[in-house]
Amino acid sequence: MPSLLSILTSLAWPIAITIAWLVGEFGQRWTGLPRISFYGVAGFALASTQLGVLPAPGTDDTMALLADVAFGLILFELGYRINLHWLRINPWIGVAGLVEALATFAAVYFVAVRFGTPQLTALMLAALSMATSPATVVRVINEQASSGQVTERALHLSALNCVLAVFAFNAVLGFWIFRTSEDLGDAIWSSLVVLVVSALAGALLGVAVPALLRAIGNVRQDATVAFALAVILLVAVTYTVRLSPVVATLAFGLAARHRRVAFSQAQRNFGALGEILTVLLFVFAASTLDWRKVVAGAALALTLVAARLVTKTVGVMLFAHLSGVSWRKGALTGLALAPLSVFVIMLLEHARHTGLRVVDELLAMAAVTMLLEVFGPIIIQRALVWAREAPEKSHAP
């Protein structure tokens, strides 16, 4: 007979996901706040207790792969919703995204150095801070059923921020590898080549899957299952050969959209599978955070969060009129780019999977991600409500 301890260990993740789902449902009902904020709190609490409800971070590659699949499904949906034609006729949106990302990089690097952070660590913090978490943005937008200029700009800018952050982070990692191993080939492979090959893999699948669906002859009915299976396959392959699942799945969604295969509103979140994996993703992300690191980096983290909010809000607002919206909507779009946590955690997990243990150097980022795991979804929810693109949800007293 298996021991009670081994039974409880094997049930740890199913129990944790169930608890987090219940906390999210009741929390959203009682407060009106996004469910994913409660998922993060539950995951952090379950991983931080003295009982050790969840395994230590880095010890369960199966859950890490499932979290990658969940993240890949969300990135595919984000890529699918990107309209390149809109960006071509209104290039100021892209300019605003580039400016706010570079300003964020510079501001975070300056703040980190002023706090006495080593140069290479400061560069990593700055690169990660450029990002906006697509998991949070897409999930809150779908949950709020929002639509409008702020919604669409937040989606497009979060995708741009993802690509820029992955490129910058891989460039810093390449520099770190070169300094430690003096192997220029490894440095180049860990940055530009990985991103190009990942994008090509996603784009090829984005052409192949729509062609297969047309050959089957039942595009509307089979599209969701085909896309979900393709994302799972793509994530598994890129995870195994150490490419970037982030870039690959984003490119897959972008290419699939432009092959004119319908992905309707009812198919958003990939149904029940997507809902379950979303809970897993946010619980997993929060469970990787060590409360000791969160406390140790809290002072710098608060300053970094403030600097990041200011640069993203001001950076987008400066180009608001040029891109065709009011100053107010420009500021709200910048505010909607606040979420960060899940993207950063998954990027650090990918680095760990490739053998680069850089997370121990980033105490402040642990605190930043914990803060924005909880407050990031609330900030974007408020931005959408204030922009009158999402209804103010009623909740039980």
Side-chain angles (χ1 to χ4, degrees):
M1 289 290 290
S3 67
L4 179 60
L5 181 60
S6 64
I7 292 174
L8 291 176
T9 300
S10 64
L11 293 175
W13 276 106
I15 291 172
I17 293 169
T18 303
I19 291 172
W21 179 78
L22 288 170
V23 171
E25 291 301 312
F26 282 106
Q28 194 277 334
R29 180 181 178 184
W30 292 336
T31 68
L33 299 177
R35 292 176 177 87
I36 54 178
S37 290
F38 297 101
Y39 299 159
V41 171
F44 185 70
L46 290 170
S48 301
T49 60
Q50 296 299 317
L51 297 175
V53 174
L54 293 175
T59 61
D60 193 337
D61 284 340
T62 301
M63 296 309 299
L65 181 57
L66 284 174
D68 255 321
V69 170
F71 196 42
L73 292 173
I74 292 172
L75 284 166
F76 168 83
E77 183 176 344
L78 175 63
Y80 195 90
R81 295 179 69 168
I82 300 304
N83 186 341
L84 292 179
H85 178 67
W86 186 38
L87 294 178
R88 281 196 295 268
I89 63 175
N90 192 351
W92 289 110
I93 297 174
V95 172
L98 185 62
V99 169
E100 59 87 1
L102 293 176
T104 300
F105 182 96
V108 169
Y109 177 77
F110 175 77
V111 169
V113 169
R114 292 284 293 179
F115 269 77
T117 306
Q119 183 186 37
L120 196 56
T121 303
L123 286 171
M124 287 184 185
L125 288 170
L128 292 170
S129 296
M130 295 168 72
T132 296
S133 176
T136 304
V137 172
V138 171
R139 178 68 194 192
V140 173
I141 284 174
N142 285 348
E143 187 175 292
Q144 296 294 124
S146 67
S147 62
Q149 284 287 338
V150 172
T151 300
E152 292 304 316
R153 287 164 190 254
L155 286 168
H156 285 69
L157 291 177
S158 66
L160 178 60
N161 282 347
C162 278
V163 174
L164 292 173
V166 171
F167 177 79
F169 184 66
N170 277 279
V172 174
L173 281 183
F175 179 59
W176 182 73
I177 293 171
F178 180 65
R179 283 187 55 180
T180 54
S181 67
E182 296 186 355
D183 188 334
L184 185 59
D186 265 357
I188 295 173
W189 175 256
S190 296
S191 51
L192 183 60
V193 176
V194 168
L195 301 183
V196 172
V197 175
S198 300
L200 284 174
L204 287 174
L205 206 57
V207 173
V209 174
L212 177 62
L213 286 169
R214 289 193 176 92
I216 292 172
N218 197 1
V219 174
R220 184 174 297 277
Q221 181 176 330
D222 297 329
T224 303
V225 174
F227 284 140
L229 289 173
V231 168
I232 292 171
L233 177 64
L234 183 60
V235 168
V237 170
T238 54
Y239 191 84
T240 301
V241 300
R242 298 183 177 182
L243 295 175
S244 172
V246 173
V247 175
T249 48
L250 198 59
F252 177 27
L254 189 62
R257 174 195 173 100
H258 290 85
R259 301 304 295 176
R260 298 291 187 265
V261 173
F263 190 68
S264 71
Q265 176 71 34
Q267 295 165 316
R268 300 256 169 98
N269 293 325
F270 287 90
L273 170 67
E275 294 291 334
I276 294 169
L277 288 177
T278 296
V279 181
L280 182 149
L281 173 62
F282 282 88
V283 172
F284 174 83
S287 73
T288 64
L289 300 174
D290 187 328
W291 68 268
R292 292 177 291 269
K293 293 178 182 178
V294 171
V295 172
L300 174 55
L302 288 169
T303 310
L304 292 182
V305 168
R308 187 174 170 276
L309 278 174
V310 169
T311 52
K312 286 192 172 294
T313 302
V314 173
V316 177
M317 186 176 66
L318 287 175
F319 294 91
H321 278 181
L322 288 170
S323 62
V325 293
S326 65
W327 298 116
R328 182 175 179 274
K329 288 213 167 184
L332 290 173
T333 301
L335 198 62
L337 301 179
L340 176 71
S341 54
V342 171
F343 179 86
V344 166
I345 290 166
M346 298 309 295
L347 211 57
L348 292 175
E349 280 294 306
H350 296 159
R352 181 191 65 79
H353 180 66
T354 59
L356 301 174
R357 302 195 67 87
V358 297
V359 68
D360 292 336
E361 306 292 329
L362 301 171
L363 295 178
M365 190 49 69
V368 169
T369 52
M370 187 62 236
L371 283 170
L372 294 179
E373 176 88 1
V374 177
F375 294 106
I378 299 172
I379 293 172
I380 183 174
Q381 182 196 52
R382 291 294 93 197
L384 295 173
V385 170
W386 292 336
R388 297 185 179 86
E389 294 183 9
E392 182 81 55
K393 295 290 180 74
S394 60
H395 55 273

